[in-house]
Amino acid sequence: MNMPLVKTEPMMAAPARPAAMTATVLPLAPPQGPPLAKRMLGWSREIAARLVPPVVVIALALLVWELVCRKAGATLPPPSKVINDTWELITHPFYDRGGLDKGLFWHLSASLQRVAKGYALASIVGVALGTLVGQSTWAMRGLDPIFQVLRTVPPLAWLPLSLAAFRDGEPSAIFVIFITAIWPVIINTAVGIRNIPQDYRNVAAVLRLNHLEFFWKIMVPSAAPYIFTGLRIGIGLSWLAIVAAEMLIGGVGIGFFIWDAWNSSHISEIILALVYVGVIGFVLDRIVAALANIVTRGTAAN
Amino acid sequence: MQPYLRIDHVDKSFSRGAVTTVVLKDITLTIDKGEFVSIIGHSGCGKTTLLNIVAGLASVSAGCVLLENREVNEPGPDRAVVFQNHSLLPWLTVYDNVRLAVDKVFGGAKSRHERDAWTLHNLDLVQMAHARDKRPGEISGGMKQRVGLARALAMEPKVLLLDEPFGALDALTRAHLQDSVMAIHQKLANTVLMITHDVDEAVLLSDRIVMMTNGPAACIGEVLEVPLARPRKRLELASSATYLKCRQRVLEFLYERHRFVEAA
């Protein structure tokens, strides 16, 4: 671009009349936003607008539940009784009286560890297989039908088979998590890889990127939004599957805790455990979503 | 003297099942070092296919492409392409997009510091150094195309291939970029092969204009020398008789003798 030459004449003329140059400097007031108090009010309004609706809805739901379950002959306890019954569990999550008589923290942490192992395995194997299926037409034609059939098998249906194979509850539970979480990871990764624009492949070809460079510099960043969609679905499914699996395999874990509470007719404990399961599932989902946001920043914007 | 780039009796056809479509038929073209050649033709005539063949992104069905007497059959940085839709990697900054190419091409030959300086030098050349830390999503279409040009220039290609580089830009931005390309060509004396469908652009920038007939089986219809002295000034040319005559020739070729048939 030919930038127009800056006109120099006025600048050259300036020293001839220095008197004209002595302009008074007007002090500019520093830029002022609204005062702090007003901004605080704005923020608190914003926060209130977000917090009030869920609080109101939850309060109403609890009220209805309380009213419905308070009547004589109700099969489920009202919220007030749930809190009363489980107060010890809520306030002492870390107690450990040996065996299976542990606080909720230990049950949840055992479940989370199983999910962590199975899910980590599923992520690695899933991304690898997804890349293979996405990149190679031959692999896709060979593997895709198998994947499509196997992914519809319900998680728990794998449990007897894995118990037979591993002859132990712990690896079986991890395997069930693995097999549950892997399908969305494979399928989404494969779609992401297949959707890498031809333009990026052309760029890589002109630059003569080798396979490893292509994988790290083009494939992973380009497919990252898809991969993370798969990972996010996967974490949700893992958490769904672990509770069911643990009910069957026993041992320490939130699933077993629920089943044990049912066997001892501690309905309030079941309700408390469900609240914990829900909250943790939500948090897990948010963690993966936040991770996706960090990793794929810039990728989605185009 | 051997020509620098030689496209020698190139045919290109695509087969789908039993049906074979001939896209290019017997294309022969030689380009000298430092020459700026444009290929013009109606859309769908196979211009981009021809460029892709020179780039090595597509293979020939018959014939060959020789660059400095070496056959071209795979892509490489000696034939850098500026793609029509910029093709910048959206997750990399402007600097990193160019740096990726610099690192790949000069990874062994230049030190880290030299590569950094070379990246900035090329961004400077297209006047994009100010946006080095922006991502492609944050800059305008014209700016993206400039960065794409910087990336191609940074590879120090033997032939610079421009695939309708300004097709998607508005007229003002396009004029700015054409001036930039002219200035860079003046300065670096690159050998350039440009695909375009803009008659003014072809006449303004090129030493020779290759006019292609309509496909299928498109071939070179006519080659026009543009005997205008460089550096060329857009405004002065508007009233130049030679310029108008060249423009007229291309227009006649495209709109009278090889009218684009919509139904084809």
Side-chain angles (χ1 to χ4, degrees):
Chain A
M1 181 169 62
N2 290 327
M3 294 291 286
L5 283 170
V6 178
K7 284 194 177 158
T8 47
E9 282 87 344
M11 301 276 275
M12 303 293 276
R17 297 183 285 134
M21 296 292 281
T22 53
T24 15
V25 176
L26 288 173
L28 276 173
Q32 269 182 335
L36 186 67
K38 205 171 179 182
R39 266 184 290 163
M40 292 287 268
L41 193 71
W43 287 335
S44 50
R45 240 189 226 148
E46 177 74 13
I47 292 167
R50 280 172 188 280
L51 276 185
V52 168
V55 167
V56 168
V57 170
I58 290 170
L60 275 175
L62 286 174
L63 186 70
V64 171
W65 177 11
E66 181 78 37
L67 290 176
V68 169
C69 293
R70 213 170 202 177
K71 284 181 280 186
T75 49
L76 295 177
S80 56
K81 188 168 182 306
V82 169
I83 293 176
N84 241 337
D85 288 349
T86 58
W87 190 246
E88 207 197 318
L89 281 171
I90 296 171
T91 49
H92 298 98
F94 297 110
Y95 80 84
D96 186 353
R97 294 197 199 106
L100 298 176
D101 191 6
K102 294 180 197 290
L104 272 170
F105 171 81
W106 301 109
H107 286 289
L108 287 167
S109 115
S111 299
L112 279 172
Q113 280 174 31
R114 289 189 189 110
V115 166
K117 286 177 195 159
Y119 179 69
L121 215 58
S123 309
I124 296 165
V125 178
V127 170
L129 275 176
T131 306
L132 180 70
V133 171
Q135 188 68 358
S136 148
T137 314
W138 201 93
M140 185 192 77
R141 289 191 183 143
L143 290 170
D144 199 54
I146 303 175
F147 290 166
Q148 296 301 339
V149 170
L150 289 187
R151 79 187 174 92
T152 62
V153 174
L156 279 192
W158 290 100
L159 191 59
L161 191 66
S162 53
L163 278 170
F166 295 112
R167 310 208 167 260
D168 188 11
E170 188 67 19
S172 304
I174 293 171
F175 176 77
V176 168
I177 301 305
F178 168 79
I179 207 78
T180 309
I182 197 168
W183 307 118
V185 179
I186 292 178
I187 290 166
N188 281 282
T189 304
V191 171
I193 300 285
R194 242 175 277 154
N195 279 356
I196 295 175
Q198 187 59 40
D199 301 336
Y200 301 168
R201 293 182 187 274
N202 285 348
V203 170
V206 169
L207 288 177
R208 288 210 185 119
L209 296 184
N210 60 37
H211 288 296
L212 204 64
E213 287 168 325
F214 182 67
F215 180 78
W216 283 115
K217 293 191 168 153
I218 309 278
M219 225 185 239
V220 169
S222 179
Y226 292 90
I227 295 175
F228 271 96
T229 305
L231 288 176
R232 209 171 151 190
I233 300 171
I235 193 75
L237 291 181
S238 317
W239 193 239
L240 288 183
I242 190 67
V243 175
E246 281 174 348
M247 284 185 176
L248 294 174
I249 60 161
V252 181
I254 193 69
F256 172 74
F257 176 88
I258 293 172
W259 195 244
D260 191 42
W262 158 245
N263 282 332
S264 341
S265 304
H266 292 151
I267 308 299
S268 298
E269 289 183 6
I270 298 178
I271 293 171
L272 178 71
L274 291 192
V275 171
Y276 278 151
V277 168
V279 169
I280 287 181
F282 174 77
V283 170
L284 287 177
D285 181 66
R286 281 305 141 119
I287 290 172
V288 178
L291 203 65
N293 264 336
I294 296 168
V295 174
T296 63
R297 100 196 107 82
T299 314
N302 187 27
Chain B
M1 197 185 99
Q2 283 290 338
Y4 192 60
L5 175 72
R6 179 175 182 85
I7 301 168
D8 200 356
H9 299 287
V10 162
D11 290 356
K12 176 71 184 174
S13 50
F14 291 103
S15 307
R16 166 161 292 180
V19 185
T20 302
T21 320
V22 180
V23 181
L24 297 173
K25 185 77 193 150
D26 201 24
I27 305 279
T28 297
L29 179 66
T30 57
I31 298 174
D32 291 329
K33 193 168 183 176
E35 204 177 8
F36 196 125
V37 174
S38 293
I39 298 177
I40 197 165
H42 290 291
S43 55
C45 75
K47 303 181 298 257
T48 298
T49 309
L50 181 59
L51 187 105
N52 281 344
I53 286 173
V54 177
L57 294 167
S59 58
V60 294
S61 303
C64 64
V65 176
L66 296 167
L67 176 60
E68 285 188 318
N69 277 329
R70 299 257 285 278
E71 185 173 0
V72 163
N73 44 23
E74 57 170 1
D78 56 343
R79 284 154 286 125
V81 188
V82 177
F83 297 96
Q84 182 174 9
N85 52 354
H86 69 78
S87 296
L88 298 177
L89 304 177
W91 52 88
L92 294 180
T93 60
V94 161
Y95 174 87
D96 287 331
N97 263 293
V98 180
R99 181 65 188 263
L100 177 68
V102 173
D103 281 350
K104 191 58 199 162
V105 178
F106 299 108
K110 290 184 198 267
S111 72
R112 177 175 284 273
H113 181 75
E114 282 171 330
R115 278 178 276 151
D116 173 63
W118 180 241
T119 306
L120 289 175
H121 169 78
N122 279 286
L123 281 175
D124 233 11
L125 209 57
V126 296
Q127 293 153 16
M128 282 304 297
H130 61 91
R132 50 173 294 183
D133 294 324
K134 293 230 165 69
R135 286 172 198 279
E138 300 163 347
I139 58 179
S140 71
M143 287 169 147
K144 284 180 207 162
Q145 215 47 275
R146 280 176 190 277
V147 179
L149 184 61
R151 178 173 64 184
L153 289 171
M155 299 179 210
E156 280 199 323
K158 290 176 181 160
V159 183
L160 185 61
L161 302 172
L162 309 177
D163 183 7
E164 292 187 29
F166 319 128
L169 304 176
D170 63 272
L172 283 174
T173 312
R174 193 185 307 173
H176 272 300
L177 271 158
Q178 287 163 352
D179 290 344
S180 282
V181 166
M182 267 198 291
I184 288 165
H185 179 242
Q186 189 74 25
K187 198 166 160 187
L188 306 177
N190 326 67
T191 311
V192 186
L193 180 61
M194 178 175 80
I195 303 290
T196 184
H197 51 223
D198 180 334
V199 177
D200 287 293
E201 179 171 285
V203 177
L204 180 66
L205 296 179
S206 329
D207 297 316
R208 271 190 301 152
I209 301 173
V210 175
M211 292 172 253
M212 288 183 67
T213 63
N214 285 331
C219 58
I220 294 177
E222 199 175 318
V223 180
L224 177 72
E225 296 270 350
V226 183
L228 289 166
R230 291 179 187 272
R232 297 172 182 168
K233 295 262 163 53
R234 183 183 298 278
L235 285 176
E236 292 167 14
L237 286 179
S239 54
S240 146
T242 324
Y243 177 85
L244 292 175
K245 218 168 80 191
C246 292
R247 198 171 173 276
Q248 188 63 30
R249 279 281 293 281
V250 181
L251 284 173
E252 270 172 19
F253 178 90
L254 289 178
Y255 297 102
E256 279 180 22
R257 279 183 282 156
H258 295 275
R259 188 186 293 277
F260 182 52
V261 186
E262 201 71 52

